[in-house]
Amino acid sequence: MKAAFYTLGCKVNQYETEYMAELLSKSGFEIVEADNEADYYIINSCTVTATADQKTRQNVRKFKRKHPNSTVILTGCMPQAFPDKAKELYEADIVISNKSNGEILEYINSYNIEKKRIINIEEHKSGDEFSKCEIEHFSERIRAFVKIEDGCDRFCSYCIIPKARGRVRSKDPKDLKKEITLLGENGIREIVLVGINLSAYGKGSDYNIVDAVKICAKDDNILRVRLGSLEPDHITDDIINGLAKVKKFCPQFHISLQSGCNKTLKNMNRHYTAEEYKELCDKLKATFDDCTITTDVMVGFNDETDADFEDSCKFVKDIGFQKVHTFPYSERQGTNASKKGDNVPKKVKEQRAEAMIQLADNLRNEYMSTLIGKTVCVLFESADGNIYRGYTMNYIPVSVIADENLIGKELDVEVIDYDRDKDLLISSL
């Protein structure tokens, strides 16, 4: 039996796809690419925006249309957040929630026996425990995403994720240590810890994100430990000081901003001000040499005026982010913001997004150009012929030409140029 996965959304979804793929592989399934013929097509959905929902619907229908005799399975955040809409996707033979990903084999077996459509969307409940999950590989890479936290208690006014993911819960440190050992033994050299609200790891327990980083760093096979997206108001001085003591920790911080305008942040029910966010960035820059700070910015949120948007642009420029993921506000049914409607015209959102992207591109180009002539340490991950590509500790992409196999090696290289079109530093050994 052949199974193919199509994954939308965040690093947590990518981890969960790897987890499901390993479950099926251990049961005798051959995992193939989504553009190949398969007996099962599993769409692991995202629902953070309306566009994500649209892509989910399109792909469910596409796989069924192209492979009418195959079984199409829909899982992930979209059916969890919008079960009624998921049920209406009749092209999906099996519809389950992300809470049930660990039982995917049982659902497949049940469908094969009963030969009728299965819909089982189990709701997240307060007090749920962290679902047992571990992986041993990561798609033949040397860098692996490892989910250690799930759920969110923040309830930002625009966000459907608490409904799609439930409340904060964390992976037991003992389970994390076991998983890291397996990954290290199987060739993984860099760990990226991920979660829905990663900086809430350990909430209600006697451990936190620093403890998770230390567990990974203690493994001799692991060369680097990196963090996924973080929330600014959870990064305390103790967390910063603790991370700074871990030699293998990568000083790259993706800290969600959403807006540089205090009025907009308040309307979003974000739990910090622009001034508090800047104070955090200043602390990180003062503590970590060569640290990079990247972020997410939403444009066109309810009641955002031209002046509010200009405040946000000015803030982004003042911080000098190394990279900015920009996206327009997308109304999500069931959120507090949706009760106000979506009162910024689509055209205005598009114009603001274009302006913010241009600003971010200019900041990126300025920063990358400052690296020309410097020596950087790169962990090489992939190759195209004799061109090897990897990342610095602060997650800057670098390429080099070499006659020997560099994959999995950590080397110092000299930066000689910046390819802006490919967003890639060119280097020499």
Side-chain angles (χ1 to χ4, degrees):
M1 290 290 181
K2 295 181 179 180
F5 286 84
Y6 187 89
T7 306
L8 294 153
C10 66
K11 293 179 176 65
V12 171
N13 266 19
Q14 294 176 50
Y15 172 91
E16 291 176 346
T17 288
E18 188 70 27
Y19 172 56
M20 289 186 284
E22 287 192 14
L23 289 176
L24 296 185
S25 180
K26 289 176 181 178
S27 297
F29 286 73
E30 179 185 354
I31 308 302
V32 299
E33 297 295 325
D35 55 358
N36 293 343
E37 289 289 334
D39 302 287
Y40 301 90
Y41 291 92
I42 300 101
I43 295 89
N44 192 4
S45 65
C46 171
T47 194
V48 72
T49 64
T51 300
D53 281 354
Q54 181 183 25
K55 289 180 179 179
T56 293
R57 293 191 296 270
Q58 289 173 343
N59 280 283
V60 167
R61 290 164 179 158
K62 179 188 75 174
F63 285 118
K64 196 60 172 180
R65 183 177 66 253
K66 292 179 67 175
H67 311 281
N69 296 322
S70 297
T71 301
V72 174
I73 303 170
L74 173 60
T75 185
C77 291
M78 187 267 195
Q80 193 82 56
F82 301 107
D84 291 339
K85 292 183 179 180
K87 292 172 187 176
E88 293 173 359
L89 277 170
Y90 296 104
E91 294 86 353
D93 303 296
I94 301 174
V95 181
I96 58 176
S97 60
N98 54 34
K99 190 175 182 178
S100 303
N101 285 341
E103 302 164 35
I104 187 168
L105 182 61
E106 287 83 349
Y107 283 109
I108 288 174
N109 290 337
S110 178
Y111 179 79
N112 289 337
I113 292 171
E114 298 178 11
K115 302 296 182 184
K116 64 179 182 179
R117 192 178 190 222
I118 294 176
I119 299 174
N120 192 354
I121 303 172
E122 187 179 356
E123 292 184 10
H124 291 294
K125 298 177 181 178
S126 180
D128 280 349
E129 295 184 355
F130 187 87
S131 298
K132 291 284 185 180
C133 57
E134 68 177 28
I135 59 174
E136 298 178 10
H137 307 85
F138 202 88
S139 301
E140 300 179 357
R141 301 179 191 175
I142 66 164
R143 174 162 44 100
F145 303 143
V146 176
K147 186 180 87 167
I148 62 171
E149 187 276 339
D150 207 343
C152 186
D153 300 340
R154 296 179 63 82
F155 295 97
C156 299
S157 65
Y158 55 82
C159 188
I160 197 67
I161 294 305
K163 184 176 180 182
R165 284 287 178 173
R167 303 296 159 265
V168 169
R169 50 209 188 276
S170 304
K171 178 172 284 183
D172 189 289
K174 293 179 182 178
D175 293 334
L176 174 60
K177 183 179 180 180
K178 177 185 174 185
E179 186 171 20
I180 297 304
T181 299
L182 286 170
L183 287 166
E185 290 173 349
N186 288 323
I188 294 298
R189 295 295 172 260
E190 179 175 308
I191 299 295
V192 184
L193 297 174
V194 300
I196 299 301
N197 185 359
L198 179 62
S199 40
Y201 176 74
K203 181 180 179 181
S205 304
D206 59 354
Y207 53 86
N208 61 28
I209 193 68
V210 176
D211 297 303
V213 169
K214 288 180 178 178
I215 288 170
C216 300
K218 284 180 181 178
D219 191 291
D220 291 338
N221 289 313
I222 303 303
L223 301 178
R224 295 179 175 183
V225 188
R226 197 179 298 280
L227 297 178
S229 181
L230 300 165
E231 291 294 337
D233 51 313
H234 286 166
I235 308 174
T236 63
D237 289 348
D238 286 343
I239 295 292
I240 294 173
N241 294 332
L243 293 174
K245 294 175 183 178
V246 182
K247 186 177 180 181
K248 294 181 181 180
F249 175 70
C250 296
Q252 175 243 336
F253 299 90
H254 186 88
I255 307 173
S256 182
L257 172 64
Q258 305 305 351
S259 176
C261 169
N262 281 332
K263 186 195 89 175
T264 304
L265 288 172
K266 185 175 181 180
N267 288 342
M268 289 176 167
N269 195 34
R270 302 291 286 172
H271 304 283
Y272 53 88
T273 64
E275 291 77 17
E276 289 168 340
Y277 187 103
K278 184 179 185 302
E279 183 181 358
L280 170 62
C281 292
D282 290 342
K283 287 180 181 178
L284 294 173
K285 292 175 182 178
T287 304
F288 298 92
D289 293 336
D290 300 322
C291 87
T292 54
I293 301 175
T294 61
T295 196
D296 304 302
V297 172
M298 182 191 299
V299 300
F301 186 64
N302 284 334
D303 299 328
E304 184 187 64
T305 65
D306 288 342
D308 296 335
F309 175 67
E310 288 303 318
D311 283 348
S312 203
C313 288
K314 183 179 183 302
F315 187 82
V316 166
K317 188 174 182 179
D318 288 345
I319 296 294
F321 292 105
Q322 279 70 48
K323 201 166 191 177
V324 180
H325 171 226
T326 302
F327 57 101
Y329 169 59
S330 175
E331 184 179 358
R332 312 306 290 132
Q333 266 185 330
T335 63
N336 284 334
S338 69
K339 298 173 183 177
K340 294 185 177 181
D342 189 357
N343 58 14
V344 177
K346 181 180 179 182
K347 186 175 181 180
V348 173
K349 290 181 186 178
E350 291 173 348
Q351 291 170 342
R352 290 178 184 172
E354 185 177 346
M356 184 65 76
I357 289 170
Q358 184 61 56
L359 169 59
D361 285 348
N362 290 340
L363 291 173
R364 179 73 168 179
N365 185 51
E366 290 173 11
Y367 171 73
M368 296 291 270
S369 296
T370 66
L371 300 176
I372 297 173
K374 293 187 176 182
T375 297
V376 295
C377 183
V378 180
L379 176 59
F380 289 96
E381 300 183 3
S382 61
D384 182 6
N386 66 342
I387 301 176
Y388 290 83
R389 179 169 175 168
Y391 291 87
T392 63
M393 288 283 282
N394 54 7
Y395 205 59
I396 302 300
V398 182
S399 71
V400 71
I401 295 175
D403 294 328
E404 62 175 307
N405 184 2
L406 300 185
I407 294 177
K409 294 183 179 181
E410 196 174 34
L411 300 171
D412 287 336
V413 297
E414 182 182 355
V415 179
I416 58 176
D417 201 1
Y418 170 48
D419 187 330
R420 185 169 182 175
D421 292 335
K422 295 181 180 178
D423 187 30
L424 183 70
L425 293 178
I426 311 300
S427 69
S428 62
L429 292 171

